[in-house]
């Protein structure tokens, strides 16, 4: 496999809002910056495919800033290994990049959390953000009956997007209780921007049922999804639909920070006030430091970019905004904390690890993530526990013990690149 070397003052992994904000601050200081991302284009999860047609004025401003810059972007490339400090390897379509850097900013974002329940592996049961991403890349959803379920504000964003694309959104099932959501609403009043976003979404979703304290318990169909059973305290009911878009809030992507030995606490990368991790010259920004929404990702990215280029006074000017956004993040995580009833969703024969076909029953016979891997192959397939690992942590409280390279499956030829 051929290789090419790319040297940068600052290397950023992740071209979502955090990575882009960091890159702007770095390049505007006159340093060379490279941003690498595994998606075909920049934007991360929320601004996927929006570079030419931003969905909001805010996205437009950031895309304009990067368009007029000298940032080097490498897309469609996955960072999978650190052979030595100051060097990362990324697999691209036809070669391997050797990325040398002075400073590194990790902005690896988050992914959806999936919880297993009977029928969750049926065709047309998808991640909420996953279905949204498919539709953004051209998948036709007009006229299809969709139930959106799980937890978190992403459900509203997805339902709104699918509705605007012509889907018949039958219901949004949010597992958080009505009381939690009421308190969330009250707290939002003090954050004018967030309150108006929430109000706008609710207005756009007028006519779509928002069921609180409600979650999917089973999905049925012969070859693909035909109907879903939802539960609310005291009642169960059935909805006939074409798609179930289901995700239980978000979890940070920690594989790369863990590989680099960055300290992780409470499921997120630990950073100091300048977004530096426990490893010198390695910074982290955005959802990998904890789930907190778009504005927090942006301000953390800016602070990391400024700090990595020695502009600490400017970085400090942004601390006030970051504190405010972090407060919102804490509120989000409290409001959408998962209820314990969700632990009893899987039946004995419900598949938990879909890569290796490991069912819930066989996991009951082991007592740790390591044993589960050794005895059942849970988490040993192509996704390397990205999907089942978070489910297993919620169901059994087992945490992954270590991360080994490659952090993504890669071609054998890519692995053989010498450092
Ligand atoms: C599926 C999904 C859909 C979402 N949709 C919405 C929405 O519609 N509205 C909304 O308000 N919020 C949405 N969010 C939440 C939103 O993404 C966050 O609030 C925030 O914007 C995240 O920004 P970020 O820069 O931290 O991360 P992200 O936007 O997640 O960007 C991180 C990027 O890093 C890349 N990456 C990670 N590891 C590697 C690696 N090893 N090598 C190369 N690249 C790597 C990822 O592919 C990704 O492009 C969504 C989240 C998810 C997970």
């Amino acid at each position: 496999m051929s290789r090419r070397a790319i040297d940068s003052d600052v290397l950023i992994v992740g071209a979502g809002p955090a990575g882009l904000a960091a890159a702007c601050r770095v390049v505007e200081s006159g340093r060379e910056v490279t941003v690498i991302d595994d998606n075909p284009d920049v934007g991360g999860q929320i601004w996927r495919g929006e570079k030419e047609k931003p969905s909001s004025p805010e996205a437009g401003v950031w895309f304009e800033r990067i368009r007029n810059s000298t940032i080097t972007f490498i897309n469609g490339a996955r960072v999978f290994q650190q052979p030595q400090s100051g060097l990362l390897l990324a697999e691209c379509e036809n070669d391997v990049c050797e990325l040398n850097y002075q400073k590194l900013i990790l902005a690896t974002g988050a992914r959806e959390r999936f919880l297993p329940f009977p029928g969750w592996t049926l065709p047309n049961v998808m991640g909420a953000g996953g279905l949204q991403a498919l539709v953004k890349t051209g998948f036709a959803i007009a006229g299809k009956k969709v139930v959106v379920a799980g937890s978190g504000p992403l459900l509203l964003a997805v339902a709104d997007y699918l509705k605007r694309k012509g889907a018949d959104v039958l219901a949004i099932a949010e597992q958080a209780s009505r009381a939690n959501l009421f308190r969330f609403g009250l707290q939002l009043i003090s954050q004018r921007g967030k309150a108006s976003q929430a109000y706008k979404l609710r207005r756009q979703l007028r006519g779509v049922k928002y069921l609180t304290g409600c979650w999917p318990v089973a999905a049925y169909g012969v070859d693909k999804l035909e109907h879903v059973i939802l539960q609310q305290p005291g009642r169960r009911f059935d909805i006939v639909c074409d798609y179930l878009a289901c995700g239980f809030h978000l979890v940070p992507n920690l594989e790369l920070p863990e590989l680099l030995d960055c300290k992780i606490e409470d499921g997120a990368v630990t950073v100091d006030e300048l977004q530096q991790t426990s490893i010198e010259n390695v910074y982290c920004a955005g959802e990998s430091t904890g789930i907190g929404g778009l504005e927090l990702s942006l301000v953390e990215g800016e602070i990391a970019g400024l700090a990595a280029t020695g502009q600490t006074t400017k970085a400090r000017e942004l601390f006030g905004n970051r504190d405010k956004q972090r407060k919102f993040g804490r509120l989000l995580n409290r409001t959408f904390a998962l209820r314990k009833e969700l632990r009893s969703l899987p039946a004995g024969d419900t598949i938990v690890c879909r890569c290796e076909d490991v069912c819930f029953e066989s996991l009951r016979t082991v007592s740790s993530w390591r044993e589960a891997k050794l005895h059942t192959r849970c988490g040993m397939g192509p996704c390397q526990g990205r999907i089942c690992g978070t489910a297993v942590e919620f169901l059994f409280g087992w945490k992954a013990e270590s991360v080994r390279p490659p952090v993504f499956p890669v071609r054998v030829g890519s692995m053989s690149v010498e450092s």
Side-chain angles (χ1 to χ4, degrees):
M1 180 71 56
S2 66
R3 51 175 147 160
R4 65 189 144 125
I6 296 174
D7 299 339
S8 342
D9 296 327
V10 181
L11 172 67
I12 300 175
V13 184
L20 295 182
C24 287
R25 288 299 197 160
V26 173
V27 81
E28 285 157 14
S29 77
R31 311 294 210 291
E32 276 180 20
V33 56
T34 303
V35 183
I36 188 157
D37 193 289
D38 57 354
N39 282 305
D41 208 347
V42 299
Q45 301 291 359
I46 182 170
W47 295 337
R48 183 187 296 275
E50 291 190 11
K51 194 171 75 186
E52 305 310 329
K53 216 174 153 201
S55 63
S56 66
E58 187 176 29
V61 168
W62 286 101
F63 284 126
E64 196 54 31
R65 249 166 113 168
I66 61 166
R67 196 168 290 120
N68 296 322
S69 76
T70 56
I71 303 167
T72 303
F73 285 103
I74 305 173
N75 282 103
R78 280 182 163 174
V79 178
F80 66 91
Q81 191 174 358
Q82 174 187 239
Q84 64 191 52
S85 168
L87 172 67
L88 290 177
L89 297 184
E91 185 181 74
C92 310
E93 196 183 351
N94 300 313
D95 59 7
V96 170
C97 277
E98 290 182 4
L99 303 155
N100 297 292
Y101 61 85
Q102 304 296 319
K103 305 271 169 109
L104 172 67
I105 301 176
L106 299 170
T108 51
R111 58 177 175 264
E112 294 181 87
R113 182 197 277 118
F114 300 112
L115 296 181
F117 53 86
W120 78 293
T121 52
L122 265 179
N124 293 358
V125 179
M126 298 188 180
L131 182 58
Q132 182 193 39
L134 268 183
V135 175
K136 280 188 179 179
T137 49
F139 183 75
I141 198 72
K144 301 292 182 197
K145 292 182 174 22
V146 184
V147 171
V148 180
S151 199
L154 179 59
L155 301 186
L156 292 174
V158 169
D160 172 52
Y161 182 81
L162 298 179
K163 187 169 176 249
R164 281 189 283 117
K165 292 291 166 186
D168 182 6
V169 181
L170 302 176
I172 304 167
E174 166 57 66
Q175 63 87 38
S177 67
R178 178 182 288 262
N180 270 9
L181 290 157
F182 181 70
R183 277 192 292 274
F184 182 64
L186 285 182
Q187 302 266 343
L188 276 195
I189 295 172
S190 63
Q191 304 212 10
R192 217 188 308 148
K194 305 274 186 204
S196 73
Q197 275 170 29
Y199 176 71
K200 193 172 154 208
L201 269 180
R202 288 304 292 264
R203 208 184 46 210
Q204 283 164 191
L205 285 167
R206 214 174 10 218
V208 176
K209 282 184 217 141
Y210 186 60
L211 305 167
T212 57
C214 183
W215 59 93
V217 288
Y220 293 104
V222 180
D223 299 317
K224 58 182 167 62
L225 176 72
E226 290 168 17
H227 60 118
V228 52
I229 299 189
L230 298 178
Q231 155 124 23
Q232 265 182 324
R235 71 166 186 146
R236 275 189 179 198
F237 53 101
D238 193 80
I239 303 189
V240 174
C241 58
D242 301 305
Y243 290 93
L244 171 61
C246 186
F248 291 84
H249 204 29
L250 304 174
V251 286
N253 287 326
L254 299 178
E255 292 75 14
L256 196 56
E258 283 187 312
L259 184 75
L260 271 60
D261 223 11
C262 299
K263 187 171 171 205
I264 310 285
E265 251 176 6
D266 297 331
V269 178
T270 306
V271 286
D272 69 8
E273 58 173 14
L274 290 169
Q275 300 293 137
Q276 178 157 295
T277 67
S278 57
I279 303 295
E280 206 184 353
N281 295 330
V282 178
Y283 298 77
C284 188
E287 305 256 80
S288 29
T289 67
I291 306 305
L294 171 65
E295 285 78 13
L296 182 59
S297 291
L298 285 168
V299 70
E300 285 195 356
E302 287 194 81
I303 292 173
L306 290 165
T309 48
Q311 307 177 76
T312 47
T313 309
K314 277 192 183 167
R316 282 176 201 288
E317 286 164 13
L318 302 179
F319 285 5
N321 183 21
R322 184 183 56 189
D323 289 347
K324 191 171 120 201
Q325 302 304 337
R326 279 187 176 161
K327 194 171 157 206
F328 173 72
R330 287 193 291 274
L331 177 64
L332 261 189
N333 294 315
R334 265 200 316 275
T335 304
F336 298 102
L338 299 184
R339 57 175 63 228
K340 64 178 185 331
E341 291 98 311
L342 299 173
R343 292 206 173 90
S344 44
L345 280 181
D349 61 355
T350 303
I351 286 176
V352 175
C353 170
R354 54 196 309 169
C355 298
E356 294 288 335
D357 278 354
V358 181
C359 62
F360 185 63
E361 190 57 46
S362 50
L363 290 171
R364 282 205 185 121
T365 61
V366 295
S367 58
S368 69
W369 180 236
R370 185 176 161 74
E371 265 190 43
K373 283 179 121 174
L374 288 174
H375 294 291
T376 71
R377 290 197 53 79
C378 186
M380 302 280 275
C383 94
Q384 287 288 291
R386 278 184 173 75
I387 293 176
C388 63
T390 47
V392 161
E393 186 172 341
F394 174 70
L395 294 172
F396 300 102
W398 306 333
K399 284 195 195 319
E401 282 157 21
S402 63
V403 169
R404 289 192 207 151
V407 290
F408 285 109
V410 290
R411 296 178 292 253
V412 174
S414 303
M415 287 294 291
S416 62
V417 172
E418 298 290 320
S419 63

